[in-house]
Amino acid sequence: MAETDLIKDAAAVRENAHAPYSGFKVGCALRSVEGHVHRGCNVENVAYPEGTCAEAGAIAAMIAAGDTRIAELAVIADSPMPVPPCGGCRQKLAEFADGDVIVTMATTSGTFEQTSVGALLPGQFNAAHMVKAP
Ligand code: THU
């Protein structure tokens, strides 16, 4: 698969990451089905579990801008190997992207790997399970 221009956007927003507790800055850029690029970085809090991941930030930016679905995304971190989205972010991505949407996982040293949203979260929990919910 081909390198995506979203890696550059993810790297740029990673510079803004607020990660004083982990020291691990992450950037995410996504292209919406509407054709716009939205970006997010991780934002940590001193109450550690309250922090948000880069992917969550990019999804929030997409929704706030009025766009609806993810067409493609890239995540980047300074790591020896490409960092896959955490479990919570896999669920978030799966709710805003089709299973065949490409996820590019990049490192600041220039390597990257690609997978899909469906491969990251097989058997996802979704609204179809909640037909009996009020
Ligand atoms: N993090 C992300 O932003 N995205 C990921 O996919 C993996 C982890 C952040 C959360 C936390 O701020 C830091 O990386 C260390 O876990």
Side-chain angles (χ1 to χ4, degrees):
M1 289 184 206
E3 182 161 356
T4 169
D5 57 308
L6 290 176
I7 293 176
K8 283 188 183 138
D9 288 286
V13 71
R14 178 181 169 274
E15 296 297 320
N16 299 335
H18 180 74
Y21 308 109
S22 72
F24 191 68
K25 293 184 165 195
V26 185
C28 176
L30 66 84
R31 192 182 330 281
S32 65
V33 295
E34 289 83 4
H36 307 122
V37 174
H38 303 284
R39 312 190 310 178
C41 55
N42 54 334
V43 181
E44 297 181 349
N45 295 89
V46 69
Y48 296 166
E50 303 303 326
T52 50
C53 287
E55 296 90 328
I59 290 170
M62 176 184 79
I63 296 300
D67 286 354
T68 58
R69 302 277 297 167
I70 302 167
E72 183 191 0
L73 75 138
V75 184
I76 192 166
D78 180 6
S79 171
M81 72 286 287
V83 175
C86 75
C89 285
R90 293 178 194 213
Q91 178 68 31
K92 291 181 178 74
L93 293 171
E95 294 187 32
F96 289 96
D98 292 345
D100 62 354
V101 163
I102 298 299
V103 179
T104 300
M105 303 167 293
T107 69
T108 53
S109 55
T111 61
F112 70 93
E113 292 174 10
Q114 291 179 312
T115 184
S116 68
V117 169
L120 287 172
L121 188 64
Q124 72 167 108
F125 170 67
N126 61 37
H129 298 104
M130 297 178 61
V131 288
K132 294 185 180 172

